Amino acid sequence: MAPVLVFGASYGSLFASKLLLAGIDVDIVAPAAHAEELNREGFRVIYPVRGQPAPVEVDSRALPGKLRALAPQSVDPAGGGLVVLAMQEPQYRAPELRALLAAVAAARRPCLSIMNMPPLPYLARLPGIDAGGCRDCYTDATVWDGFDPALVTHCSADAQASRIAASPAHVVQVRLPTNFRAARFAGNAETALLRDVAARIDAARFAAPQGAIALPVRLRVHDSPFVPISKWPMLVTGNYRCIREAGVRSIEQAVHEDPAESAAIYGEVAALLVRLGAEEADLVPFEAYAAAAHSLGLPSSAARAVDSGATDIERVDRLVQAVAAQQGLRWPPLDALVALVDARLAANRRDAGVAA
């Protein structure tokens, strides 16, 4: 199998660790200085494993697959297979990443997104959604213009992982070890490639001191194109509601400080997906999400970014609002949430001297 090209060395290292453990080579895109560090020291992913007395630390240097870290300008996208998009959506407008993304599109490489924000070409595959009417929800929608929607699929990135405070940048801890749930590609050949990757990940075992063990976080491939956006109710109910007028709160607090309100918001977004064509089986029940939220004691990455002064973040909240409006729906709680995030970002832009 050709090396998998992974955009992003933070959240992307979680997916890359699964590939490397399965014996699949990985080229990971990172800023030049970070790429040098990764080539020298590799990365570590710390997994909680059921039945193990302590978390399991996976060192990329000890895995069967070969890791190569590259600065964007050093990547030749013409000769490989699968591409994994693991950076947050606003990052792709950086000139060197925009150029590489355009080269990937021109090379017609199949792309799997594990972003929270679905790539714009993937929206074009979903019945009931006018992708053109959603362009304003993206930081720069033009970065996606060269892609064939048939070669782009998306994943519900339910697994939660983040860097550890005061630890090196190449160390990531998995906080919610659930699965990546991807939609098949439009074509059979690309889907077969994705299913092959999933099968290899399933079969892989980690050589722990106590013996070979199966690590959590798998890749599941579904026929329904709505499975990847089944995370929208979770993102709106938890991740974006971590953002407050002043400061932030944890996902656990966002979900459980007012469970009735959370259940109502979750239900509204889930009902939108069903209206678009999703089956109930495609979705995660609120009760299951609420139970998982008890383990999410940190603010979401979007909330942390806003609180740290970010001028742009992924705007799934705005995307859900836009898709709902296309269906003739308006929800005051969602409108208030979008307005709050807009205001916090506008304040950050003023403080940074960045034009709106």
Side-chain angles (χ1 to χ4, degrees), residues 77-94:
L82 184 68
V83 174
V84 176
L85 304 174
M87 290 179 173
Q88 296 208 10
E89 179 265 329
Q91 294 178 267
Y92 292 100
R93 68 176 174 174

Side-chain angles (χ1 to χ4, degrees), residues 19-36:
L19 297 169
L20 294 168
L21 180 60
I24 300 170
D25 293 343
V26 172
D27 290 340
I28 198 163
V29 180
H34 193 192
E36 290 180 8

